[in-house]
């Protein structure tokens, strides 16, 4: 029989973020976004006739059922590389940026690993999933600040990764997320930037990293609960 207990997200989630603008050098501005968040929940028990757990958090995050959550978007497609790996083209949510609307499109790779261990008197299972950006491009809409900045943003580059780790015991689980996201903007030699471009851009990037990682962990918990509550055929 399944035991299903749901706690309030707002009381269980912790998030922090920082953004480090490198300034302008050699026609390039680089923003580095760093964010961390965590969420806790009650273990969901669903054993088969032989006592094997069918619906653990580890099983969910170690399976393709969690791909959509790990990639952070509903809009993605997969392809196999020559080496036999699977990569994903992912259209991310839009970002408002100085009168422009940026739509990042990432080529992601998911790397999974899980181990079982014993912590204190209670056996726990722990694991890790890394979702990395292999390539990226940016679609730009708007253009309120002129075609020069719009063209520069089209050539902007994203790189980074999200690491999701978890520990799951008999009564509860703990999920942690760590995000590093870099945005590099290659500027024309002569381009008048809006006042406060570095400072405001840094705040925007910090907010994006913090809010998206926080929401991703909320979505991860909700998706796990939904998956665990779906009858196995």
């Amino acid at each position: 029989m399944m035991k299903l207990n749901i706690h309030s997200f707002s009381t269980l989630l912790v998030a922090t973020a920082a953004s480090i603008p490198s300034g302008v050098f050699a026609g390039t501005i680089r923003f580095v976004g760093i964010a961390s968040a965590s969420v806790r929940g009650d273990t969901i028990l669903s054993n088969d006739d032989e006592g094997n757990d069918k619906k653990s958090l580890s099983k969910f995050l170690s399976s393709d059922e969690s791909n959509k959550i790990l990639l952070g978007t509903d809009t993605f497609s997969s392809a196999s590389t020559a080496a036999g790996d699977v990569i994903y083209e992912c259209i991310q949510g839009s970002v408002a940026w100085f009168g422009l609307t940026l739509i990042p499109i990432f080529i992601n790779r998911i790397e999974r690993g899980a181990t079982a261990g014993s912590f204190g008197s209670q056996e726990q299972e722990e694991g890790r999933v890394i979702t990395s950006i292999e390539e990226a491009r940016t679609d730009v809409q708007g253009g309120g600040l002129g075609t020069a900045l719009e063209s520069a943003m089209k050539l902007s580059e994203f790189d980074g990764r999200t690491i999701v780790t978890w520990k799951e015991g008999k009564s509860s689980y703990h999920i942690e997320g760590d995000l590093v996201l870099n945005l590099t903007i290659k500027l024309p030699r002569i381009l008048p930037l809006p006042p406060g471009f570095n400072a405001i851009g840094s705040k925007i990037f910090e907010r994006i990293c913090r809010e998206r990682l926080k929401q991703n962990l909320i979505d991860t918990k909700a998706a796990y609960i939904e998956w665990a509550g779906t009858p196995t055929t």
Side-chain angles (χ1 to χ4, degrees):
M1 183 172 69
M2 179 177 293
K3 174 186 176 183
L4 182 60
N5 295 318
I6 303 173
H7 283 189
S8 168
F9 293 132
S10 60
T11 59
L12 296 175
L13 189 97
V14 178
T16 60
S19 180
I20 307 168
S22 64
V24 181
F25 60 97
T28 298
I29 296 178
R30 189 165 186 255
F31 296 101
V32 180
I34 303 172
S36 298
S38 63
V39 66
R40 295 179 181 273
D42 290 339
T43 298
I44 298 174
L45 303 177
S46 176
N47 297 333
D48 58 22
D49 294 338
E50 297 178 355
N52 298 315
D53 180 38
K54 300 184 298 180
K55 295 291 186 177
S56 68
L57 176 67
S58 294
K59 288 185 181 298
F60 174 65
L61 290 174
S62 298
S63 74
D64 289 343
E65 297 291 335
S66 60
N67 284 354
K68 179 174 71 172
I69 294 300
L70 295 171
L71 295 170
T73 178
D74 293 336
T75 310
F76 68 91
S77 59
S78 61
S80 297
T81 67
D85 300 328
V86 179
I87 56 175
Y88 303 87
E89 182 179 79
C90 307
I91 301 176
Q92 300 293 328
S94 60
V95 176
W97 188 264
F98 293 95
L100 303 173
T101 299
L102 310 183
I103 304 175
I105 301 173
F106 296 159
I107 303 298
N108 289 121
R109 184 186 303 274
I110 298 175
E111 300 175 83
R112 289 182 166 94
T115 60
S118 180
F119 301 88
S121 60
Q122 183 178 10
E123 183 177 312
Q124 293 192 1
E125 193 167 28
E126 62 178 324
R128 182 177 72 169
V129 181
I130 301 175
T131 305
S132 56
I133 301 173
E134 301 287 302
E135 300 176 24
R137 66 181 188 274
T138 306
D139 287 348
V140 181
Q141 299 174 359
L145 294 176
T147 57
L149 181 58
E150 182 178 355
S151 298
M153 294 311 301
K154 286 181 179 179
L155 298 176
S156 63
E157 299 175 353
F158 288 90
D159 65 89
R161 47 139 178 79
T162 303
I163 301 178
V164 174
T165 58
W166 67 91
K167 292 182 180 179
E168 183 179 23
K170 294 180 180 179
S171 61
S172 65
Y173 60 80
H174 179 219
I175 309 173
E176 294 186 354
D178 294 288
L179 167 68
V180 175
L181 185 63
N182 304 317
L183 170 61
T184 303
I185 306 170
K186 298 178 180 179
L187 300 171
R189 290 185 177 274
I190 301 177
L191 175 62
L193 294 176
F197 185 84
N198 272 8
I200 297 173
S202 177
K203 291 295 184 182
I204 293 173
F205 208 59
E206 175 184 338
R207 175 178 53 79
I208 290 170
C209 290
R210 180 181 65 251
E211 292 181 354
R212 295 209 171 180
L213 180 62
K214 178 179 177 180
Q215 186 60 50
N216 183 255
L217 288 191
I218 291 174
D219 292 343
T220 298
K221 181 176 180 178
Y224 168 54
I225 292 172
E226 181 181 0
W227 173 82
T230 302
T232 303
T233 55

